[in-house]
């Protein structure tokens, strides 16, 4: 296996954001494209030399090819050991856990998360550092600057690792260990949750339907829900990971998991419905005839987590991303703990987790997790809900209604305007930003603006500052509007409008979300003028 240094040219579009580098498969298949990005990591983060590296992905098209490339380059760049998931599979939270337990110097997670897959779909890669969390903004900036200057990359020729054969293999002087993608993660889950109680819950006739969406969580669901907890095999669906995710869109929300939503609103629905996304870090929770929004799920878990084995010590604190509804704030206040508001991006939570300031965190984009890893964790969230149901012997609806009676209810929705011209999306943001100072004190129907600002964040752990994190219009405790740009798409720009309304009168707790938010939608158009500027009379997706 000769080591070669191959001449290359920089690509100008290798800026890695919070979610890593995401592009169409065809972009990653360009000569030297992936190699340039990986070499930039090896050159900039010198901790990888002589260290261990975890590699795995969500199983989408181009996953196996990219893993072979990454292994060959790791060997050529002085990595001493690679730990890779069997079949090239590792969910994002499982990869984070392996990085932590194996004390690896970092990890390559090959995923485009909830984006569609296949030959014409999306591919992606993100770099997680020692400790299991996402690369910091400072590191990603350095990687990008290096990628614009790179002229060569190092690799071993003729490398092939049998990804199906567990155990040790050798590539040059580097060891490659192929591991079962579920084993370590399943052991961790059994430390956190009361498997005996959940097993008994199933034996009493309760039921689950989990949709893996033909993505990476299928093997995890099989092992945990069926093999270890005794749920019937019919409890999981779409459990075989496919390179194109079965042609579906692996985003667990009310639109792309509509079949599950319909099932949970049908006669004879299971007690708990749940789904996860492409790489296993997102989750959707439903009960019979009821959808639990991500913000509500975070708040309800915050109220119950101390009842579960892994959290009986109590919660150090809680955090939510700024666009996430303020439901968890009310629980944190009642329990006497600090609630942090951070920008969107799990790396901001990771700082708080590493400092021991929080135990639980979550975001409105269907992500929830705790201090057990440094990523959001979809399967963990489903297990947490199962354990809460088994511990309380209540239904999902009963837990929700009891919670709303105590803390009030935050009606919430996100309106996504996808594939906008970047100039149009920017115009919406700039137009609203120019009026923020004029808004406080103005009345719009039943709502009076109490504050309007651009969200900037000073990290309480390291003092770093994140700016331009979204525009907020607040109507006291009664409501909020938020507008921000998303960086998760690969085509055009995505503009997101968030609507939140708080009610704590028992007579107002049973409204339909669309009806409760209808007055706020009208206010949002008067303030943000999204339809007027974009020409879109309706959002692409409402969740």
């Amino acid at each position: 296996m000769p080591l070669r240094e191959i001449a290359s040219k920089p690509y100008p579009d290798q800026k890695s954001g919070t979610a890593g580098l995401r592009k169409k498969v065809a972009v990653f298949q360009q000569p030297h494209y992936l190699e340039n990005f990986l070499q930039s990591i090896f050159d900039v983060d010198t901790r990888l030399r002589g260290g261990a590296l975890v590699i795995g992905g969500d199983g989408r098209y181009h996953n196996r090819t990219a893993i072979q490339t990454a292994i060959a380059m790791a060997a050529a760049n002085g990595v001493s050991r690679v730990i890779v998931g069997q079949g090239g599979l590792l969910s994002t939270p499982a990869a984070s856990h392996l990085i932590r337990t194996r004390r690896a110097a970092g990890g390559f997670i090959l995923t485009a998360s909830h984006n569609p897959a296949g030959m014409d779909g999306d591919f992606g890669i993100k770099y997680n550092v020692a400790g299991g969390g996402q690369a910091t903004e400072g590191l990603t900036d350095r990687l990008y600057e290096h990628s614009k200057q790179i002229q060569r990359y190092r690799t071993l020729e003729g490398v092939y690792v049998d990804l199906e054969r567990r155990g040790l293999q050798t590539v040059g002087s580097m060891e490659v260990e192929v591991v079962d993608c579920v084993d370590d993660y399943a052991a961790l889950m059994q430390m956190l949750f009361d498997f005996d109680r959940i097993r008994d819950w199933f034996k009493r006739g309760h039921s689950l339907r989990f949709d893996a969406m033909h993505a990476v969580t299928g093997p995890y669901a099989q092992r945990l829900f069926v093999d270890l907890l005794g749920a019937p095999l019919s409890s999981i669906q779409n459990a075989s990971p496919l390179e194109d995710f079965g042609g579906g869109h692996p985003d667990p929300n009310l639109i792309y998991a509509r079949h599950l939503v319909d099932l949970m609103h049908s006669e004879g629905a299971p007690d708990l419905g749940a789904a996860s996304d492409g790489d296993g870090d997102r989750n959707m929770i439903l009960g019979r005839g009821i959808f639990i929004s991500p913000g509500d799920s975070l708040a309800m878990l915050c109220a119950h987590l101390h009842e579960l084995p892994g959290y009986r010590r109590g919660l150090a604190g809680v955090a939510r991303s700024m666009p996430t509804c303020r439901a968890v704030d009310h629980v944190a206040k009642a329990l006497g703990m600090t609630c942090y508001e951070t920008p969107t991006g799990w790396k901001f939570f990771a700082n708080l987790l590493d400092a021991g300031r929080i135990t639980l965190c979550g975001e409105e984009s269907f992500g929830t997790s705790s201090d057990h890893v440094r990523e959001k964790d979809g399967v963990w969230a489903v297990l947490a809900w199962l354990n809460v149901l088994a511990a309380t012997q209540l239904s999902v609806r009963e837990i929700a209604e009891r919670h709303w009676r105590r803390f009030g209810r935050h009606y919430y929705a996100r309106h996504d305007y996808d594939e906008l011209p970047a100039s149009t999306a920017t115009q919406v943001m700039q137009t609203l930003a120019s009026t923020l100072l004029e808004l406080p004190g103005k009345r719009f129907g039943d709502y009076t603006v109490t504050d309007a600002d651009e969200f900037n964040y000073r990290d309480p752990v390291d003092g770093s500052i994140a700016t331009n994190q979204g525009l907020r219009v607040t109507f006291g405790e009664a409501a909020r509007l938020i507008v921000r740009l998303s960086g998760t798409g690969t085509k055009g720009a995505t503009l997101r409008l968030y609507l939140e309304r708080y009610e704590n009168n028992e007579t107002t707790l049973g409204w339909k979300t669309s009806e409760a938010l209808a007055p706020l939608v009208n206010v949002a158009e008067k303030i943000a003028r999204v339809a007027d500027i974009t020409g879109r009379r309706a959002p692409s997706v409402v969740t």
Side-chain angles (χ1 to χ4, degrees):
M1 294 181 184
L3 186 152
R4 286 197 60 195
E5 196 165 277
I6 298 176
S8 185
K9 64 176 183 178
Y11 285 90
D13 64 343
Q14 294 194 324
K15 176 67 173 174
S16 176
T18 296
L21 181 67
R22 292 183 188 173
K23 302 289 179 182
K24 292 294 182 183
V25 169
V27 174
F28 274 95
Q29 289 177 325
Q30 295 177 90
H32 316 309
Y33 188 88
L34 174 63
E35 290 88 343
N36 277 10
F37 184 70
L38 295 179
Q39 188 63 54
S40 296
I41 296 173
F42 290 122
D43 287 347
V44 171
D45 196 345
T46 56
R47 293 171 296 182
L48 290 171
R49 294 172 197 162
L53 176 68
V54 170
I55 303 177
D58 59 18
R60 67 178 59 229
Y61 184 82
H62 200 55
N63 189 66
R64 288 172 176 265
T65 301
I67 286 176
Q68 297 288 350
T69 298
I71 291 173
M73 292 186 64
N77 281 279
V79 173
S80 64
R81 186 181 183 90
V82 161
I83 301 103
V84 59
Q86 186 176 13
L89 297 177
L90 276 177
S91 75
T92 289
S96 177
H97 178 54
L98 269 181
I99 293 169
R100 292 166 63 78
T101 57
R102 298 300 189 94
R103 302 193 178 196
F108 296 154
I109 305 177
L110 284 65
T111 179
S113 188
H114 55 290
N115 292 15
M119 292 181 64
D120 299 320
D122 296 337
F123 190 76
I125 181 168
K126 63 179 188 171
Y127 178 52
N128 283 37
V129 296
Q134 298 169 0
T136 64
E137 286 194 64
L139 178 56
T140 56
D141 287 344
R142 283 161 44 213
L143 294 175
Y144 178 53
E145 290 304 315
H146 188 78
S147 75
K148 293 190 294 184
Q149 306 169 34
I150 195 167
Q151 299 293 330
R152 59 93 182 102
Y153 63 87
R154 295 164 59 86
T155 189
L156 290 188
E157 290 191 323
V159 169
Y160 175 77
V161 172
D162 185 352
L163 296 176
E164 301 301 331
R165 179 165 60 89
R166 286 187 227 168
L168 292 177
Q169 301 174 52
T170 302
V171 174
S173 60
M174 183 182 76
E175 283 190 342
V176 177
E177 182 183 4
V178 179
V179 300
D180 183 285
C181 67
V182 182
D183 279 351
D184 290 82
Y185 179 84
L188 175 62
M189 294 301 105
Q190 291 175 84
M191 295 171 59
L192 299 177
F193 301 115
D194 190 339
F195 272 47
D196 288 336
R197 179 168 271 183
I198 301 172
R199 196 178 294 114
D200 183 64
W201 185 81
F202 279 120
K203 287 179 180 178
R204 291 171 179 265
H206 294 291
S207 53
L208 163 74
R209 182 64 62 87
F210 176 82
D211 188 355
M213 306 188 90
H214 284 305
V216 77
T217 55
Y220 296 85
Q222 170 75 45
R223 181 79 59 83
L224 289 159
F225 303 143
V226 178
D227 298 346
L228 293 175
L229 291 172
L233 188 59
S234 59
S235 301
I236 58 176
Q237 64 186 51
N238 300 322
S240 300
L242 301 176
E243 287 192 334
D244 65 349
F245 299 146
H249 193 142
D251 195 352
N253 61 41
L254 298 173
I255 305 300
Y256 298 119
R258 186 72 217 179
H259 53 283
L260 182 63
V261 176
D262 291 342
L263 171 67
M264 296 305 297
H265 284 77
S266 68
E267 189 174 341
D271 294 279
L272 179 67
S276 191
D277 71 329
D279 65 325
D281 63 357
R282 298 186 180 207
N283 74 93
M284 179 171 70
I285 300 295
L286 304 110
R288 287 176 176 159
I290 186 171
F291 163 64
I292 305 298
S293 74
D296 270 343
S297 180
L298 176 66
M300 292 170 193
L301 289 179
C302 183
H304 287 280
L305 209 61
H306 65 277
E307 302 168 12
L308 311 185
Y311 304 93
R312 290 209 172 110
R313 66 189 184 279
L315 278 62
V318 66
R320 61 165 176 83
S321 64
M322 182 273 288
T324 302
C325 79
R326 296 174 288 182
V328 73
D329 302 43
H330 289 250
V331 181
K333 183 178 180 180
L335 298 181
M337 70 179 72
T338 302
C339 179
Y340 295 89
E341 182 180 42
T342 75
T344 297
W346 214 261
K347 59 190 172 187
F348 298 104
F349 293 147
N351 267 8
L352 296 169
L353 291 164
D354 287 342
R357 297 198 181 198
I358 62 171
T359 304
L360 177 68
C361 47
E363 57 187 19
E364 52 75 31
S365 55
F366 294 80
T368 325
S369 196
S370 81
D371 58 356
H372 67 289
V373 291
R374 295 299 181 265
E375 289 277 3
K376 48 185 175 272
D377 190 346
V379 172
W380 173 90
V382 179
L383 284 167
W385 267 95
L386 283 171
N387 205 161
V388 169
L389 294 174
T392 62
Q393 292 299 308
L394 298 173
S395 69
V396 173
R397 180 177 290 278
E398 288 168 337
I399 288 171
E401 291 177 344
R402 187 174 70 170
H403 183 94
W404 293 331
R405 284 194 299 270
R406 179 180 178 187
F407 298 106
R409 181 174 183 180
H410 288 75
Y411 291 95
Y412 184 86
R414 188 183 84 193
H415 291 191
D416 288 2
Y417 295 82
D418 294 329
E419 298 184 5
L420 289 171
S423 59
T424 302
T426 300
Q427 184 182 353
V428 174
M429 298 294 292
Q430 290 177 341
T431 301
L432 177 56
S434 68
T435 66
L436 288 178
L437 292 177
E438 305 168 6
L439 290 174
K442 283 193 174 183
R443 188 172 182 84
F444 297 86
D446 294 333
Y447 299 101
T448 299
V449 177
T450 57
D451 193 20
D453 66 353
E454 182 173 60
F455 181 58
N456 299 313
Y457 177 74
R458 178 184 289 275
D459 193 297
V461 178
D462 62 18
S464 61
I465 296 174
T467 60
N468 304 317
Q469 296 298 312
L471 305 177
R472 302 183 292 185
V473 180
T474 305
F475 309 90
E477 283 289 324
R480 278 198 315 171
L481 297 174
I482 294 164
V483 183
R484 60 180 291 271
L485 296 176
S486 170
T488 60
T490 60
K491 184 179 180 182
T494 295
L495 184 78
R496 287 179 170 165
L497 168 66
Y498 307 83
L499 306 111
E500 176 186 342
R501 174 180 178 178
Y502 177 65
E503 292 290 336
N504 61 358
N505 186 317
E506 191 160 348
T507 61
T508 64
L509 300 181
W511 289 342
K512 289 184 177 179
T513 297
S514 58
E515 295 172 351
L517 292 176
L520 203 56
V521 172
N522 295 329
V523 172
E525 182 55 31
K526 291 176 182 177
I527 292 176
R529 297 177 50 210
V530 175
D532 182 37
I533 295 172
T534 66
R536 301 273 186 94
R537 297 305 161 190
S540 311
V541 178
V542 176
T543 51

